[in-house]
Amino acid sequence: MSIATVERTLTVFTATVVETTGLLARIAVLLNPYDVRELSLSLDDGMLRIVVEGNGFDAGRVAARLEKIVGVLEVSAAVS
């Protein structure tokens, strides 16, 4: 029996953050329509990591929306 592997498109967004009060709530509202698989915030490093599964959305647009959130700086996206 052979098990087929399913390739999924994942887009990983990372950002530097400088203000964290209410940050995850604001991001959750912003990313509501997307299939978010991971949302993590390192308070030690001031880094935010978001993994979104699927394709058919504009990663640049999502990054631009994230940059408009107070306290989020320098958003980057990498598709794998």
Side-chain angles (χ1 to χ4, degrees):
M1 177 184 221
S2 176
I3 298 176
T5 56
V6 177
E7 289 194 31
R8 299 181 196 148
T9 301
L10 298 177
T11 303
V12 179
F13 296 91
T14 55
T16 305
V17 295
V18 294
E19 191 270 319
T20 59
T21 305
L23 180 67
L24 294 180
R26 291 190 302 269
I27 290 169
V29 168
L30 175 82
L31 297 175
N32 185 27
Y34 303 108
D35 190 4
V36 176
R37 294 299 176 165
E38 179 184 337
L39 177 59
S40 61
L41 175 62
S42 171
L43 297 177
D44 292 332
D45 299 331
M47 291 299 295
L48 171 69
R49 177 180 160 89
I50 303 167
V51 178
V52 178
E53 184 176 337
N55 43 7
F57 68 92
D58 184 351
R61 183 174 178 214
V62 174
R65 290 175 73 187
L66 287 169
E67 286 178 341
K68 291 182 180 181
I69 296 174
V70 173
V72 176
L73 308 172
E74 302 174 24
V75 177
S76 65
V79 178
S80 62

